[in-house]
C-alpha cells in the first residue's frame, strides 16, 4: 500500500522528499534494526527491520544520485556508491553478526564487483563477454567457498542460497563456453562431475540439482552436435 501511494505522488514531490522516503527511510529502518538487535538479539524483529532497510538503501542511493544530478554515464559514481554500501554492511555485520546483514553485504559486494569491472573496461558486454563469463565463474566459486565456511556457524541459513547461486553461476557460465569449443566440451564433463562430488561432500541438494541439470544439458548438446544422425 505504501509503495503504491508513493508511486502515485512521486511526480508531485520535490527531490528532497524523494530522497527522504527512499534512502532516508532505508537508513531509518536500518538504525531501528540495529537498536533492536542490540536490545533483543534473540528476536527476529531487528532482522526484519534490517531486511526492509537493505531493500530500500540501494534503490534510495540511486534516487539520490539522480536527484542530485550526478552524472552516472561513466558508471563510476554508481560503482563507488555500491562500494560504500558494501563497506557499510560489512561494518554492520561485524558489529551484529546477522545472516541478513551478511546477505546484503554479499549482494552489494557482488554488484560492486561487476560495476567495477564494467567501469574499468568501459565497453559493451558483447565486447567483453569472455571477461564476464570468467568473472561469473569466479563469483560462483566464491559463493561455494562462503557456503562451505558458513556451515555450522551463525550464517548457516545462507548456505542453501549460496550453494544454489554459486553452482548456477559457475556451471552456467562455464556451459556458455562449450559451444564451438572442443577443449571446453571435454573439460565441462569434469566440472559437472566435480559438482556432483561437491554436492555429496557438502550434502547440498541445490548443488546436486544444478549439476544434474547441466549434465543433462551438456549431454544433450553433445548428442545433437555430433550424433544427430
Amino acid at each position: 500500500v505504501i509503495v503504491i501511494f508513493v508511486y502515485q505522488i512521486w511526480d508531485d514531490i520535490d527531490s528532497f522528499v524523494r530522497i527522504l522516503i527512499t534512502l532516508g527511510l532505508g537508513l531509518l529502518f536500518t538504525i531501528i534494526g540495529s537498536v533492536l538487535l542490540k536490545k533483543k538479539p534473540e528476536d527476529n524483529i531487528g532482522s526484519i527491520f534490517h531486511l526492509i532497510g537493505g531493500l530500500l538503501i540501494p534503490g534510495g542511493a540511486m534516487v539520490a544520485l539522480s536527484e542530485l544530478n550526478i552524472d552516472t554515464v561513466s558508471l563510476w559514481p554508481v560503482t563507488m556508491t555500491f562500494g560504500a554500501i558494501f563497506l557499510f554492511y560489512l561494518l554492520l555485520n561485524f558489529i551484529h553478526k546477522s545472516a541478513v546483514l551478511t546477505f546484503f553485504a554479499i549482494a552489494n559486494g557482488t554488484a560492486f564487483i561487476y560495476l567495477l569491472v564494467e567501469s574499468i573496461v568501459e565497453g559493451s558486454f558483447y565486447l567483453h563477454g569472455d571477461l564476464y563469463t570468467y568473472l561469473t565463474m569466479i563469483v560462483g566459486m566464491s559463493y561455494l567457498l562462503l557456503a562451505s565456511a558458513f556451515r555450522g556457524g551463525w550464517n548457516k541459513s545462507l548456505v542453501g542460497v549460496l550453494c544454489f547461486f554459486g553452482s548456477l553461476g559457475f556451471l552456467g557460465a562455464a556451459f556458455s563456453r562449450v559451444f564451438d569449443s572442443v577443449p571446453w566440451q571435454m573439460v565441462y564433463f569434469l566440472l559437472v562431475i566435480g559438482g556432483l562430488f561437491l554436492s555429496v561432500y557438502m550434502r547440498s541438494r541445490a548443488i546436486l540439482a544444478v549439476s544434474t541439470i547441466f549434465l543433462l544439458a551438456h549431454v544433450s548438446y553433445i548428442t545433437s552436435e555430433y550424433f544427430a544422425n
Side-chain angles (χ1 to χ4, degrees), residues 16-60:
F16 176 76
V17 178
R18 290 177 181 177
I19 297 174
L20 185 63
I21 62 178
T22 52
L23 181 60
L25 197 59
L27 292 174
L28 176 61
F29 276 114
T30 299
I31 293 172
I32 295 174
S34 294
V35 172
L36 291 174
L37 282 179
K38 280 292 185 181
K39 291 185 176 180
K40 299 180 179 180
E42 70 281 356
D43 293 340
N44 293 324
I45 185 66
S47 297
I48 294 175
F49 274 93
H50 271 300
L51 177 62
I52 300 173
L55 294 174
L56 288 173
I57 287 176

Side-chain angles (χ1 to χ4, degrees), residues 18-156:
R18 290 177 181 177
I19 297 174
L20 185 63
I21 62 178
T22 52
L23 181 60
L25 197 59
L27 292 174
L28 176 61
F29 276 114
T30 299
I31 293 172
I32 295 174
S34 294
V35 172
L36 291 174
L37 282 179
K38 280 292 185 181
K39 291 185 176 180
K40 299 180 179 180
E42 70 281 356
D43 293 340
N44 293 324
I45 185 66
S47 297
I48 294 175
F49 274 93
H50 271 300
L51 177 62
I52 300 173
L55 294 174
L56 288 173
I57 287 176
M62 294 302 99
V63 170
L65 291 179
S66 175
E67 296 300 324
L68 294 174
N69 295 319
I70 297 176
D71 182 20
T72 58
V73 175
S74 67
L75 279 183
W76 278 111
V78 178
T79 301
M80 294 300 101
T81 299
F82 272 93
I85 297 173
F86 168 59
L87 293 177
F88 173 69
Y89 275 102
L90 277 183
L91 177 61
L92 282 179
N93 198 31
F94 177 77
I95 296 172
H96 298 295
K97 291 181 172 58
S98 170
V100 173
L101 297 174
T102 302
F103 171 80
F104 284 116
I106 293 173
N108 287 289
T110 302
F112 170 68
I113 290 173
Y114 279 96
L115 287 168
L116 180 62
V117 172
E118 178 65 17
S119 298
I120 293 173
V121 298
E122 294 184 350
S124 170
F125 171 83
Y126 300 101
L127 296 178
H128 304 280
D130 293 348
L131 175 62
Y132 288 100
T133 296
Y134 294 117
L135 177 61
T136 302
M137 292 176 64
I138 294 173
V139 170
M141 181 61 68
S142 67
Y143 280 9
L144 294 174
L145 292 174
L146 287 173
S148 178
F150 289 165
R151 291 188 300 169
W154 46 274
N155 281 319
K156 61 183 180 181

Side-chain angles (χ1 to χ4, degrees), residues 133 136-137 139-141 164-174 210 214:
T133 296
T136 302
M137 292 176 64
V139 170
M141 181 61 68
F164 174 76
F165 285 105
S167 57
L168 181 64
F170 181 82
L171 292 177
V210 173
F214 277 110

